[in-house]
Amino acid sequence: MLTVDFTRFPLAAGDRVLDLGCGAGRHAFECYRRGAQVVALDRNAEEIREVAKWFAAMKEAGEAPEGATATAMEGDALNLPFPDDSFDVVIISEVMEHIPDDKGVLAEMVRVLRPGGRIAVTVPRYGPEKICWTLSDAYHEVEGGHIRIYKADQLLARIREAGLKPYGTHHAHALHSPYWWLKCAFGVDNDKALPVRAYHKLLVWDIMKKPLATRVAEQLLNPVVGKSFVAYATKPHLPKAEA
């Protein structure tokens, strides 16, 4: 389940991609399939080990084109172990809401992104996320949990302040908002509640089968209750004199 829309965020074979805070690796895997040179970085050692295993399995199965590379590594988003201008593309999906120093993370992403490079940032959308916080303290008051809710204009202001130029936005995963509202209402750790189980089955069916009815429904509902807000931006080239 991808949050970044690669029709709006074009990726070319050979692009150097950093998936920052990669988690289980969903965006890193897609970039690898598209022929990129991918680095998946996360602070969670267990998740990085799993991502590395999946990269190896994908290579063995021939899922990645010739020339594509993939590396999984532990790292600190506030102190990235890469030189300036190392990447053509940076993706940070559902991460910034967890990090106190979000300005510092953006500064590091800008540093390692080459001039003219592209960045995709996704965060929980304000309205659906606010409902989750209202229904359940346990949803966000956990170690490493969400510490803020971004409004769209606030996130775009952060992106501009970091020196990036936004060029597009959209919302995603409308069908997932009701699922999390149910989870918050019945208990975030209570997977046995009938409404939660039933809706989860619907989501699994949608992800696996991609039926037209749910695909159309989600497209129509995304502007209204899409769970994620997605922003795309570029790093401007330096003026010739400054360069």
Side-chain angles (χ1 to χ4, degrees):
M1 184 186 72
L2 299 174
T3 307
V4 172
D5 181 351
F6 286 95
T7 66
R8 310 181 197 216
F9 190 66
L11 191 70
D15 275 351
R16 299 162 296 168
V17 177
L18 173 62
D19 186 1
L20 182 56
C22 65
R26 58 201 171 103
H27 288 105
F29 300 149
E30 180 64 20
C31 293
Y32 189 32
R33 290 188 187 98
R34 290 171 178 262
Q37 299 174 11
V38 184
V39 175
L41 184 144
D42 201 283
R43 64 183 297 180
N44 186 311
E46 184 176 344
E47 286 196 310
I48 284 298
R49 284 192 292 271
E50 286 300 309
V51 170
K53 290 178 183 177
W54 278 105
F55 278 151
M58 290 172 68
K59 182 177 181 180
E60 181 71 20
E63 289 189 40
E66 184 176 352
T69 62
T71 302
M73 62 185 295
E74 287 184 67
D76 180 358
L78 290 165
N79 186 25
L80 295 173
F82 311 111
D84 296 357
D85 307 337
S86 295
F87 296 95
D88 302 300
V89 172
V90 177
I91 296 171
I92 184 166
S93 182
E94 312 299 304
V95 173
M96 286 181 57
E97 68 275 9
H98 296 270
I99 300 177
D101 186 7
D102 58 346
K103 291 184 179 181
V105 172
L106 276 168
E108 272 294 87
M109 289 190 289
V110 171
R111 181 184 68 78
V112 302
L113 184 66
R114 68 162 176 82
R118 305 173 305 285
I119 187 168
V121 182
T122 92
V123 297
R125 184 184 187 174
Y126 183 85
E129 182 77 351
K130 189 69 174 179
I131 293 172
C132 288
W133 283 46
T134 300
L135 290 171
S136 171
D137 290 336
Y139 170 78
H140 64 97
E141 291 182 356
V142 294
E143 184 177 356
H146 298 182
I147 62 171
R148 70 173 67 83
I149 308 175
Y150 287 101
K151 292 185 177 180
D153 56 357
Q154 179 189 16
L155 179 63
L156 291 171
R158 287 272 198 277
I159 289 171
R160 292 188 182 98
E161 288 167 6
L164 297 166
K165 184 177 180 180
Y167 70 83
T169 65
H170 64 89
H171 300 97
H173 309 318
L175 295 182
H176 288 251
S177 290
Y179 173 71
W180 283 102
W181 298 339
L182 289 170
K183 288 271 287 181
C184 290
F186 286 93
V188 290
D189 296 319
N190 180 12
D191 293 325
K192 295 182 179 180
L194 180 59
V196 174
R197 287 191 290 115
Y199 202 95
H200 184 263
K201 287 182 179 179
L202 170 67
L203 291 180
V204 171
W205 175 69
D206 173 58
I207 292 169
M208 298 301 293
K209 301 296 185 180
K210 297 181 174 61
L212 179 61
T214 56
R215 295 298 84 222
V216 170
E218 185 155 80
Q219 289 298 314
L220 292 174
L221 290 171
N222 273 337
V224 184
V225 293
K227 191 171 192 314
S228 293
F229 175 70
V230 188
Y232 305 110
T234 58
K235 179 178 176 178
H237 289 277
L238 291 172
K240 288 184 179 180
E242 190 175 343

